[in-house]
Amino acid sequence: TTQSPIRRALRMSLLNTVVGRLGTFLTGIVLARLLTPHDFGVYAIAFVALIALLSLNELGVSLAIVRWPGDPERIRPTVTTISLATSVFVYALLWFGAPIFADAMEVPEATGVVRVLCVGALIDGLTAPVAQLMNREFKQGLRLFVDLSNLLVTTGLTVSLGVVSNFVLALLLTRE
């Protein structure tokens, strides 16, 4: 029997959600073991800022691609422009607000980490219209592949940077 594209998309979307949440959870565990409690706290503050920024990012304009009754390619350039412009604007607000946010969290040294980690919101603003196009066309298998690739690359980079920072810290401490 042939399964409907909607059922397949639903299963792939559910799998994508589960894998993404599990990957984020496991990354947090690895970083908690790898970083000092203070450094993990700095990361956690930056991660909270990123999650907040992503919830505001691109103001949901990319959903127009899913709901557009005609050919979505007709509006994709406009949606991409608006999405990227609002992401840049929101990120600029974060850039200047990062010191205030970090001070409010009582970890002023988190300012730089907040600014760097939240660059992900700019990438999200650029890619959100394409992601919504995949949703419109029920290409959840492709979306799972893209999101899993993103998870692997970002987790690999994050954990590698944590290992390198621990190595550098250990070298500095042995020289004293």
Side-chain angles (χ1 to χ4, degrees):
T1 64
T2 306
Q3 63 179 344
S4 79
I6 295 172
R7 284 187 179 162
R8 183 172 176 358
L10 180 61
R11 277 198 284 280
M12 290 290 111
S13 180
L14 178 63
L15 181 61
N16 192 3
T17 300
V18 169
V19 168
R21 300 283 167 96
L22 186 61
T24 301
F25 176 70
L26 292 174
T27 301
I29 290 172
V30 169
L31 290 175
R33 301 288 299 155
L34 196 59
L35 301 173
T36 66
H38 181 267
D39 288 344
F40 184 75
V42 169
Y43 167 77
I45 288 168
F47 191 69
V48 166
L50 175 62
I51 297 302
L53 191 61
L54 288 175
S55 69
L56 294 172
N57 200 33
E58 62 91 21
L59 304 176
V61 74
S62 64
L63 287 174
I65 288 177
V66 175
R67 300 190 48 100
W68 186 256
D71 180 12
E73 287 301 322
R74 186 168 161 231
I75 66 165
R76 189 162 62 110
T78 303
V79 169
T80 301
T81 300
I82 294 169
S83 177
L84 190 56
T86 56
S87 294
V88 167
F89 177 73
V90 171
Y91 181 76
L93 289 177
L94 172 104
W95 178 270
F96 293 108
I100 298 165
F101 175 74
D103 283 343
M105 295 289 126
E106 299 181 0
V107 186
E109 60 272 25
T111 298
V113 179
V114 168
R115 287 174 172 167
V116 170
L117 192 60
C118 290
V119 167
L122 296 173
I123 296 166
D124 178 66
L126 183 62
T127 60
V130 176
Q132 293 302 343
L133 191 59
M134 285 189 281
N135 287 341
R136 177 186 170 112
E137 297 173 0
F138 298 112
K139 293 185 176 179
Q140 297 304 323
L142 179 59
R143 178 91 192 252
L144 171 64
F145 174 76
V146 170
D147 289 346
L148 184 58
S149 299
N150 174 43
L151 177 68
L152 292 173
V153 168
T154 55
T155 299
L157 181 61
T158 303
V159 171
S160 297
L161 289 172
V163 168
V164 167
S165 71
N166 278 348
F167 180 72
V168 169
L169 182 62
L171 279 176
L172 292 173
L173 291 175
T174 58
R175 288 187 177 189
E176 289 179 3

